[in-house]
Amino acid sequence: MSILECNNLIAKYGDFQALFGIDFHLDEGETVAIIGSNGAGKSTFLKSITGLISVDTTSIKLNNKDIGGVEADEIAKLGISMVPEGRKLFPSLTVEENLLIGKESQREGKWTLEKIYEIFPILKERRLSPGTALSGGQQQMVAIGRGLMSNPKVLLCDEISLGLAPVIVKDIYAIFPEIKKEGISIVIVEQDINQALKVSDRVYCFQEGKVSLQGKPSDLTHDEISQAYFGV
Ligand code: ATP
């Protein structure tokens, strides 16, 4: 059953149209990757779901309930959590304080500070350090932890790998199967195709605001993905 569904989603910035009728679904417990080059519309898609951009009110459904037009903080309370591009931590707050911000829209569930520290032990060691004192990888862990603190049904992750060394990206991606095991449905927006495909059940490729390809990673060839990604 789909937990999140979009039909013919259209998004605009003023007169500029960024998304041209996206059909998308995320099943319960599924991990889906959205790949595509710069400007393909991936972030706009996530912003549309989280209420940061206004869209047609009938085009987005969470658990079959229309959520188009719902304010961003309400969306979080309904169970959609976003790990934003660029982490967006509060630099002067400690690791723990940054994590606790995710509690503001907390729903009932298993995710607590202790559980976040279990999956990211380094954050426990550094819990009193300010955000600015952390490495990029540690900051990304805090951003993911903060997203989990609200006990979401759906976790949306925007460009987790941006600016991180490959070995760090690999470590961070290793956590996704753990999160999936807890029953959370996950959307991973990525330019790092290989990492995203490794942990995903299905993939959508966006090109110029449209879905250019979708399927299970194992059913798609390298050439099909390149063509859908680059349009060549
Ligand atoms: P990236 O990986 O670079 O973030 P993306 O696939 O996430 O790319 P979007 O950021 O969604 O792409 O951008 C889609 C299109 O919308 C691009 O043409 C971009 O220039 C445009 N766009 C994004 N944000 C705005 C905005 N605030 N105002 C006007 N146009 C925007």
Side-chain angles (χ1 to χ4, degrees), residues 12-14 16-19 34-47 53 85 158-159 162 189-191 206 208-209:
K12 292 180 183 170
Y13 296 101
F16 178 79
Q17 186 165 350
L19 296 179
I34 301 177
I35 58 173
S37 56
N38 277 337
K42 307 178 299 297
S43 298
T44 302
F45 179 67
L46 294 189
K47 286 181 196 156
I53 295 179
E85 184 175 339
D158 199 359
E159 306 270 4
L162 206 69
V189 159
E190 260 300 353
Q191 288 191 43
F206 280 22
E208 295 177 358

Side-chain angles (χ1 to χ4, degrees), residues 130-227:
T132 41
L134 304 180
S135 69
Q138 290 165 356
Q139 288 182 21
Q140 189 63 78
M141 291 175 199
V142 176
I144 295 171
R146 181 183 55 192
L148 291 170
M149 281 294 284
S150 64
N151 279 299
K153 295 183 210 166
V154 175
L155 186 71
L156 308 175
C157 302
D158 199 359
E159 306 270 4
I160 296 283
S161 67
L162 206 69
L164 301 180
V167 60
I168 306 291
V169 173
K170 201 167 157 230
D171 280 355
I172 289 178
Y173 264 85
I175 219 65
F176 282 110
E178 297 294 317
I179 299 172
K180 182 183 165 93
K181 250 192 253 163
E182 299 291 344
I184 298 180
S185 312
I186 307 168
V187 178
I188 298 173
V189 159
E190 260 300 353
Q191 288 191 43
D192 185 334
I193 304 178
N194 290 335
Q195 280 301 340
L197 295 194
K198 266 186 213 156
V199 297
S200 301
D201 302 304
R202 275 187 312 118
V203 58
Y204 286 83
C205 187
F206 280 22
Q207 196 185 111
E208 295 177 358
K210 296 180 188 141
V211 173
S212 53
L213 183 73
Q214 63 155 310
K216 292 184 181 170
S218 55
D219 292 343
L220 302 174
T221 65
H222 188 270
D223 283 354
E224 281 172 321
I225 293 174
S226 295
Q227 179 157 20

Side-chain angles (χ1 to χ4, degrees), residues 99-115:
L99 288 172
L100 287 171
I101 284 174
K103 232 178 136 179
E104 277 170 18
S105 35
Q106 197 175 34
R107 300 147 35 79
E108 236 173 80
K110 300 177 193 165
W111 292 95
T112 57
L113 273 181
E114 290 66 37
K115 199 163 165 62

Side-chain angles (χ1 to χ4, degrees), residues 29 40 71 121:
E71 299 283 329

Side-chain angles (χ1 to χ4, degrees), residues 29-62:
E30 201 181 24
T31 301
V32 161
I34 301 177
I35 58 173
S37 56
N38 277 337
K42 307 178 299 297
S43 298
T44 302
F45 179 67
L46 294 189
K47 286 181 196 156
S48 304
I49 294 173
T50 48
L52 296 171
I53 295 179
S54 60
V55 291
D56 181 331
T57 52
T58 57
S59 49
I60 308 176
K61 289 191 166 65
L62 177 68

